[in-house]
Amino acid sequence: MTPSEGARAGTGRELEMLDSLLALGGLVLLRDSVEWEGRSLLKALVKKSALCGEQVHILGCEVSEEEFREGFDSDINNRLVYHDFFRDPLNWSKTEEAFPGGPLGALRAMCKRTDPVPVTIALDSLSWLLLRLPCTTLCQALHAVSHQDSCPGDSSSVGKVSVLGLLHEELHGPGPVGALSSLAQTEVTLGGTTGQASAHILCRRPRQRPTDQTQWFSILPDFSLDLQEGLSVESQPYSDPHIPPVSKNAKARTRKCSLVSGQGRENKSCRGWGWGQGF
């Protein structure tokens, strides 16, 4: 393979990963930590959406606009619509361009769009919002904006909506994290080993079992991805962590119960949850 062919193959793998994260639309939840930051991946996805011709809105709450735009070339920056809630999150200056109601008002306003052009909304960050808003209020707004292109009975042709939410998982308890996770069509948990980042990607497709895979990568200064060849793990059926696996002993007891019940006898040692309790 020549160097140019290798570069094209690398670009193809990069696009494949980014495409897979954006393909389902809806909420894409990026779960990072102090050790493995997620803003760089958020900006890589923003760049990908902008290059695809989508409308890209940034709700910037956690860092300044200058810091977020740093590293993008002028072409990408010109395509971004930046809503700055970092300098004046409560709109004390009463500027006309600000959304009434702050970031939540901006999200609700985007629920009313009728544009057929696909749109990507980047929330930097979901943690900032979650620390200042009731979890149920934020989840309702996220559900409304990320599902507006699939509302039953709605005849308007609204383009696909992707909401990219950066979540600093260590700042929140399991309840809020679980609530946001249940809303996400795609969930990315960042981790890795010394000097090498990984993304555990969970995809939930309608009427299909969720699948997950792990991809090792690094992010270049221009927010392109450098994927590590041979380190990705193929998609596998996903087991819900909230449903405990059935052990071999439990399976054996279940089989024994079925055999005994088939002979018309009851084995009391087989009784488990709900047996003889009126359930």
Side-chain angles (χ1 to χ4, degrees):
M1 178 182 291
T2 65
S4 60
E5 289 172 339
R8 285 195 296 271
T11 302
R13 292 193 302 271
E14 168 197 337
L15 295 178
E16 182 180 348
M17 176 179 170
L18 294 176
D19 285 339
S20 70
L21 297 182
L22 297 169
L24 298 180
L27 176 61
V28 180
L29 189 62
L30 306 177
R31 299 168 61 164
D32 75 353
S33 62
V34 171
E35 187 177 4
W36 300 102
E37 63 88 18
R39 183 167 290 111
S40 295
L41 181 57
L42 175 70
K43 293 175 71 169
L45 291 168
V46 164
K47 176 182 176 180
K48 165 67 176 175
S49 297
L51 290 175
C52 288
E54 298 187 10
Q55 293 182 5
V56 182
H57 293 262
I58 314 298
L59 271 61
C61 307
E62 201 167 90
V63 298
S64 67
E65 180 176 359
E66 293 77 13
E67 182 176 343
F68 188 89
R69 290 182 179 274
E70 185 177 354
F72 291 138
D73 60 30
S74 58
D75 179 53
I76 297 297
N77 274 320
N78 289 337
R79 302 182 188 207
L80 305 183
V81 181
Y82 198 94
H83 307 283
D84 189 355
F85 297 103
F86 175 76
R87 299 184 188 279
D88 186 13
L90 300 179
N91 193 29
W92 286 349
S93 59
K94 304 297 181 183
T95 54
E96 294 181 0
E97 64 272 13
F99 283 98
L104 185 61
L107 271 179
R108 288 171 171 165
M110 292 176 187
C111 292
K112 302 174 182 178
R113 58 182 290 272
T114 58
D115 199 320
V117 177
V119 63
T120 293
I121 303 167
L123 305 178
D124 186 13
S125 68
L126 260 180
S127 287
W128 191 97
L129 295 170
L130 191 57
L131 291 172
R132 291 162 175 80
L133 296 170
C135 182
T136 53
T137 302
L138 180 58
C139 287
Q140 288 168 357
L142 288 171
H143 182 272
V145 72
S146 61
H147 288 80
Q148 61 182 297
D149 57 336
S150 58
C151 295
D154 187 359
S155 59
S156 60
S157 57
V158 179
K160 177 175 70 74
V161 180
S162 297
V163 180
L164 312 177
L166 178 60
L167 184 71
H168 309 314
E169 188 172 353
E170 294 164 327
L171 297 180
H172 312 287
V177 172
L180 290 170
S181 175
S182 67
L183 289 177
Q185 278 66 50
T186 304
E187 195 170 347
V188 183
T189 303
L190 296 171
T193 58
T194 304
Q196 183 61 65
S198 68
H200 178 262
I201 304 168
L202 170 62
C203 296
R204 300 181 177 94
R205 293 175 174 83
R207 297 177 295 279
Q208 296 183 28
R209 289 189 63 183
T211 60
D212 66 333
Q213 63 176 325
T214 299
Q215 179 70 62
W216 297 82
F217 69 100
S218 58
I219 297 180
L220 303 179
D222 66 346
F223 299 105
S224 300
L225 295 189
D226 180 18
L227 301 188
Q228 305 304 306
E229 185 175 3
L231 292 178
S232 63
V233 179
E234 295 298 327
S235 296
Q236 299 291 338
Y238 175 74
S239 300
D240 191 332
H242 301 293
I243 301 176
V246 178
S247 67
K248 292 182 179 179
N249 290 337
K251 290 180 179 178
R253 288 197 300 271
T254 302
R255 182 173 181 271
K256 184 178 180 181
C257 289
S258 63
L259 291 174
V260 171
S261 63
Q263 296 171 1
R265 296 192 299 273
E266 178 185 12
N267 188 340
K268 293 183 181 180
S269 66
C270 296
R271 292 185 177 182
W273 287 96
W275 282 68
Q277 300 177 25
F279 289 103

